[in-house]
Amino acid sequence: KKAGGRRTAITAGAVAVAGAAAAAASPVSAGEGPVWNRQSLLDRLMNDDKLAAMIVAGFLADIPVQLERLREMAARNDVAAVERQAHTIKGAAANIGGDALGNAAAAVEQAARKGDLPTAADMLAAVEEAFDRLRREMEVRREK
């Protein structure tokens, strides 16, 4: 049992490291890229479908909360918080292979980093749409 728990912790850490590297290497273009690169997620998880399903379920439960926080931060005109929150969403998307969502969040992050809150706020709809597409894709593939 202990070895299984350790494997899960190590695997989850590997997902985060690989996802962060993928996010850093991918070009930033709001909402572009594959909706979901499921195979990339499975590759990072050594093809462990059960672990992938757990990670996807957690992601689908958490991202709506993260998006709400992003909207609240933008409404408060807190550009530094918008940058951090967009970075958080970008990283989560990279961890699960959600390239389009990651790129949309990265565009918000970059605009906020430049201090351009109006542009960052205008891009929130693209982030939400990218998440909606990703969620639909994940749900369709989960049903198969």
Side-chain angles (χ1 to χ4, degrees):
K1 202 166 189 174
K2 185 176 181 184
R6 195 170 74 202
R7 177 177 174 233
T8 300
I10 291 168
T11 305
V15 168
V17 169
S26 64
V28 175
S29 184
E32 292 183 12
V35 173
W36 188 28
N37 186 344
R38 183 175 188 272
Q39 190 56 53
S40 173
L41 173 63
L42 288 172
D43 289 348
R44 285 183 239 147
L45 299 176
M46 298 178 286
N47 291 311
D48 187 332
D49 282 321
K50 287 183 181 179
L51 183 56
M54 288 174 32
I55 289 171
V56 166
F59 176 84
L60 291 175
D62 185 57
I63 290 299
V65 174
Q66 299 303 325
L67 289 171
E68 179 60 29
R69 288 181 183 153
L70 182 60
R71 285 189 296 273
E72 290 170 359
M73 293 166 182
R76 287 194 322 257
N77 294 317
D78 188 341
V79 70
V82 167
E83 179 184 353
R84 284 189 309 273
Q85 188 64 17
H87 180 82
T88 297
I89 294 168
K90 177 184 77 173
N95 286 339
I96 55 86
D99 295 348
L101 174 58
N103 288 339
V108 171
E109 178 187 20
Q110 286 182 354
R113 183 176 296 130
K114 293 176 184 175
D116 188 355
L117 188 58
T119 298
D122 286 345
M123 293 179 185
L124 295 183
V127 175
E128 291 175 354
E129 174 57 31
F131 173 67
D132 287 341
R133 289 191 331 257
L134 178 57
R135 186 189 72 243
R136 287 190 302 270
E137 180 72 18
M138 289 175 156
E139 289 170 350
V140 165
R141 289 195 186 183
R142 185 171 30 187
E143 293 170 3
K144 290 182 179 180

